[in-house]
Amino acid sequence: MKPLAGIALAGIAALAVLGLWDSQSKIGATAQQEVEILDPARVRLIRTPGGFLQVSEMGKVEEFGWQTSWACPVVDCSKLRTISRIRVKAHYVYRIPLAAQWRLEPEGSQLVLRVPALQLQSPVGFDTTSIEIVTTEKSVLSPAAGPNRDKALRHLGPELAQRGASPAYLDAQQRAAEQTVREFAQKWLLEQGGKAERPIKVVFDAPAPL
């Protein structure tokens, strides 16, 4: 009986060891995951100082009008109106946010740099000494000139911001902005011990819908 008992105990011990090994092998199992390795010969990273980069600016004389009229439910009051016309020189400044790193990727014979969309710096500046306001009352019964002029001036800031962020104004800044970003990237590459062996093509993200 003793030999049989010894064999049984040895078998139980062996199974226990195998079970312990199996449980430990499951606990210590490794997870497999592909890691992207940036090939220095293909991708260049540029560290930036952060903040914003001013890329272009534009001065433009703007004109717009503000009209006030009576609301008459029965008769036609369309001729009883007051109009203020404003003429001012606006100064538009465009910029882009700087990410911690910019990534230059090869594409054919060029290095492509993708950056955020142009942003209009707000509020839009304007030359207060150049403001011209002309208020016209079409009739002695027209709304008062003073309140109409005040509303026109209060609307000046939002009107300039809307024009500055319009697709036509953004498109007009594209070439100058691309050149500024290109020069900035080349400068920072040199300061970090590298240089662009190929021309840099700047691509802006699409602007957010208005």
Side-chain angles (χ1 to χ4, degrees):
M1 291 297 293
K2 289 184 179 180
L4 290 176
I7 293 172
L9 290 175
I12 293 172
L15 289 173
V17 170
L18 288 173
L20 178 61
W21 178 86
D22 184 63
S23 64
Q24 288 177 341
S25 66
K26 290 180 180 178
I27 293 173
T30 58
Q32 306 298 319
Q33 183 178 359
E34 183 179 358
V35 178
E36 179 185 9
I37 299 177
L38 300 180
D39 183 355
R42 297 184 63 251
V43 178
R44 304 293 299 271
L45 297 179
I46 307 175
R47 295 186 303 275
T48 77
F52 286 88
L53 174 66
Q54 181 177 320
V55 293
S56 67
E57 53 186 300
M58 174 180 67
K60 189 174 184 297
V61 175
E62 300 284 12
E63 297 184 30
F64 76 96
W66 187 267
Q67 175 177 296
T68 305
S69 59
W70 299 115
C72 303
V74 179
V75 297
D76 181 13
C77 297
S78 60
K79 294 184 179 180
L80 304 179
R81 62 183 184 274
T82 301
I83 301 175
S84 289
R85 302 189 183 278
I86 295 183
R87 189 171 189 268
V88 64
K89 184 176 182 181
H91 182 67
Y92 298 99
V93 176
Y94 296 88
R95 61 186 188 174
I96 60 171
L98 290 172
Q101 287 184 330
W102 276 357
R103 182 166 173 160
L104 290 167
E105 298 183 356
E107 189 174 288
S109 60
Q110 305 176 107
L111 290 173
V112 176
L113 174 60
R114 290 178 170 82
V115 296
L118 288 178
Q119 295 181 3
L120 173 68
Q121 183 172 298
S122 185
V124 176
F126 57 88
D127 183 4
T128 57
T129 63
S130 70
I131 295 181
E132 300 175 12
I133 306 177
V134 177
T135 303
T136 305
E137 296 172 289
K138 297 298 183 179
S139 166
V140 293
L141 298 178
S142 296
N148 175 268
R149 189 183 298 112
D150 291 342
K151 288 182 180 179
L153 286 171
R154 285 198 297 270
H155 191 68
L156 176 59
E159 177 66 23
L160 294 179
Q162 182 177 357
R163 294 187 183 188
S166 67
Y169 280 46
L170 291 173
D171 290 344
Q173 302 305 305
Q174 200 78 12
R175 181 171 296 180
E178 287 177 4
Q179 183 61 27
T180 301
V181 173
R182 187 178 299 112
E183 292 173 354
F184 177 86
Q186 291 170 341
K187 172 189 172 184
W188 276 83
L189 266 176
L190 289 174
E191 291 187 0
Q192 294 172 24
K195 64 177 181 178
E197 296 82 4
R198 314 181 204 179
I200 297 176
K201 177 183 178 182
V202 178
V203 178
F204 291 96
D205 291 340
L210 298 175

